[in-house]
Amino acid sequence: MNDWQMKSPLDWETYVNKRVKVAAAEKNEYEGWALTVDPVSANVVLANFPENGRVSIVVVLGHAVQEVDVLQEADDEMKARLSCIFAPEESKAYSP
Amino acid sequence: SSPRFQALLGTGAAGGGHPKTSSPPQAARAALRLRYLRSLGAMRGLPVSFTLHEGGRVGAVVAAADAPPLAFQVDALRTPLGLQAAALLRCSDIIAYAFEM
């Protein structure tokens, strides 16, 4: 197990809702807003918002994570946007 | 000796008895895991691009994953050797996967 997989859920939680850069195995690098870290596999779920209006999700597997750097903290608007990406249909907020 | 068992053990030792489900580490685990499971659910039926070790890249439509997850069951796996109607991808072979929704 690598250092990332050995962290505790409270450690992983500190990365949620932050823009992070993940250095992975074989010199792969990924950047995005951290949505969650799976506490079982340590997989990191990143979200990006490309111009086409869709949501681009990248998941880096825990065993391949070498380093995670925090780049930026999300503002309230971004936090709300991130929280509804995987929300079930019935709990989605609708504008009046 | 799994991370899940160690986390459970840590909570139990701190509480001096049965682990409390509402303790901070357990609440954090539950919230993180819930979001991850929802991401797995959202991925079902979508075309997903996998980055594998040794520079391999394949695309497939994800049909199912097991619980940890240790493997993905995929359909229409596009490989350099051709198209596989159905296949299992081991997570230990994958560095990252990406999809749009």
Side-chain angles (χ1 to χ4, degrees):
Chain A
M1 265 202 237
N2 62 30
D3 290 348
W4 176 253
Q5 290 170 295
M6 297 296 285
K7 284 184 185 289
S8 81
L10 292 175
D11 293 331
W12 288 320
E13 203 179 35
T14 61
Y15 293 91
V16 172
N17 290 337
K18 305 230 166 67
R19 189 160 184 84
V20 296
K21 187 189 242 184
V22 181
E26 300 184 9
K27 297 182 181 170
N28 287 290
E29 279 198 347
Y30 303 92
E31 200 180 307
W33 294 98
L35 278 175
T36 188
V37 180
D38 178 30
V40 178
S41 59
N43 295 355
V44 192
V45 182
L46 305 175
N48 281 296
F49 302 97
E51 296 296 313
N52 59 11
R54 305 187 66 173
V55 185
S56 164
I57 305 290
V58 177
V59 181
V60 187
L61 276 81
H63 65 80
V65 173
Q66 290 172 342
E67 204 174 329
V68 181
D69 291 321
V70 175
L71 305 175
Q72 188 187 343
E73 181 125 10
D75 56 19
D76 289 342
E77 189 187 340
M78 181 56 78
K79 278 183 191 167
R81 204 172 173 191
L82 294 172
S83 70
C84 67
I85 290 178
F86 294 129
E89 287 295 325
E90 64 268 24
S91 69
K92 274 187 183 157
Y94 291 97
S95 57
Chain B
S1 62
S2 71
R4 179 165 40 188
F5 181 72
Q6 284 171 1
L8 201 66
L9 208 65
T11 315
H18 290 295
K20 294 173 188 165
T21 49
S22 59
S23 63
Q26 187 56 24
R29 282 179 67 77
L32 292 168
R33 181 69 170 164
L34 180 66
R35 265 196 179 184
Y36 184 70
L37 292 177
R38 287 210 171 122
S39 84
L40 285 181
M43 183 168 76
R44 190 168 175 269
L46 295 178
V48 179
S49 152
F50 292 90
T51 304
L52 308 176
H53 283 284
E54 309 289 341
R57 269 175 210 278
V58 293
V61 176
V62 169
D66 55 1
L70 293 173
F72 291 108
Q73 194 262 304
V74 299
D75 295 328
L77 178 70
R78 295 186 307 279
T79 74
L81 289 176
L83 192 73
Q84 294 287 332
L88 270 183
L89 291 179
R90 289 180 304 192
C91 285
S92 54
D93 294 335
I94 303 169
I95 292 177
Y97 59 85
F99 60 98
E100 274 199 0
M101 49 183 283

